[in-house]
Amino acid sequence: MTPLYLVDDDQDVLDSLSWMLEGMGLNCKGFNAADTFLKSVDIKQPAVLLLDIKMPGMDGVALLSHLNQAQSVISVIMLTGHGTIAMAVDCIQQGALNFLEKPVDGEKLFQLLTQAQQHTEQKWQQQNLQLDIANRLATLSQRETQVMEGILAGKMNKVIAAELDIAQRTIELHRQKVMQKMQVSNAAELAWLLANNKPL
């Protein structure tokens, strides 16, 4: 189960929302300040965060910005008692999944939490894939990287050989090494792997 967190400086809100979430069968860990949350939670791990905007010290927008800059995979739903359109747009632009006004509608919140859980897991998987691909790329020699670029450009072995001024047989050997190290069987798979290596 994806961890669920709630950050709000109002203890009454923490209690009432926690009670509502427990009624939905969801366990939630509450924090009354952004810095307490950051000290207690590994923001690199998948999770869902219900985050109040107006708080003393680091407010919700600042925490959202921090998570965004840290490339956290946590999916954030912003909460506010007095929101504006401009505020909502700013939060969405900074990576918030949604923006809810208090008091929160339980049915709508449950739907959003389901979406947020799926979203954070997808981001986590994509981030792991990117790390895996980066590690594979790091194993390539400079010459193998040059050959791979030629393959991705759709060039034939003899063309790559002419451009790099080396024997075609050597290109064939480098090509085999590239496929082995990148863990693909052909140029189409290689192109697909690198084309899909993008953040969500």
Side-chain angles (χ1 to χ4, degrees):
M1 186 68 181
T2 306
L4 176 59
Y5 302 114
L6 171 61
V7 178
D8 197 307
D9 64 310
D10 188 331
Q11 189 61 47
D12 289 338
V13 172
L14 283 176
D15 292 341
S16 62
L17 263 177
S18 295
W19 179 80
M20 179 191 288
L21 291 164
E22 283 173 14
M24 298 174 185
L26 301 171
N27 289 323
C28 171
K29 185 166 185 180
F31 300 91
N32 59 10
D35 58 348
T36 310
F37 168 79
L38 288 173
K39 288 173 186 173
S40 307
V41 172
D42 181 357
I43 63 172
K44 295 295 185 182
Q45 297 297 315
V48 176
L49 171 61
L50 294 171
L51 176 59
D52 185 37
I53 288 184
K54 298 280 188 181
M55 293 186 293
M58 178 185 275
D59 66 11
V61 177
L63 176 55
L64 176 64
S65 178
H66 176 81
L67 293 174
N68 195 24
Q69 289 172 7
Q71 296 183 312
S72 171
V73 297
I74 294 175
S75 289
V76 181
I77 298 171
M78 304 299 292
L79 303 175
T80 180
H82 28 69
T84 65
I85 298 290
M87 193 183 289
V89 169
D90 183 41
C91 290
I92 298 299
Q93 286 177 339
Q94 292 204 53
L97 204 58
N98 219 304
F99 185 94
L100 291 178
E101 286 194 280
K102 301 173 188 174
V104 177
D105 176 81
E107 190 174 329
K108 184 175 182 181
L109 177 60
F110 185 78
Q111 291 174 349
L112 289 176
L113 287 174
T114 302
Q115 293 171 11
Q117 286 175 349
Q118 293 170 350
H119 187 255
T120 191
E121 290 296 339
Q122 287 171 355
K123 285 170 71 178
W124 169 248
Q125 290 168 10
Q126 185 68 26
Q127 198 173 80
N128 283 339
L129 175 62
Q130 287 176 305
L131 181 60
D132 183 35
I133 292 173
N135 288 336
R136 295 184 207 179
L137 288 169
T139 66
L140 299 178
S141 67
Q142 184 178 359
R143 182 64 83 193
E144 287 164 354
T145 301
Q146 291 172 329
V147 171
M148 182 182 72
E149 288 168 355
I151 295 168
L152 292 170
K155 296 174 181 176
M156 297 178 69
N157 287 350
K158 62 181 180 182
V159 175
I160 302 172
E163 288 180 350
L164 298 179
D165 195 26
I166 53 180
Q168 186 172 327
R169 177 60 185 154
T170 305
I171 292 295
E172 290 168 3
L173 293 172
H174 282 314
R175 188 184 185 107
Q176 287 176 7
K177 280 288 188 184
V178 168
M179 298 302 171
Q180 287 171 3
K181 290 181 177 182
M182 294 306 294
Q183 299 173 30
V184 294
S185 57
N186 54 52
E189 285 184 16
L190 177 64
W192 184 90
L193 182 71
L194 295 177
N196 285 275
N197 180 33
K198 294 186 175 60
L200 287 173

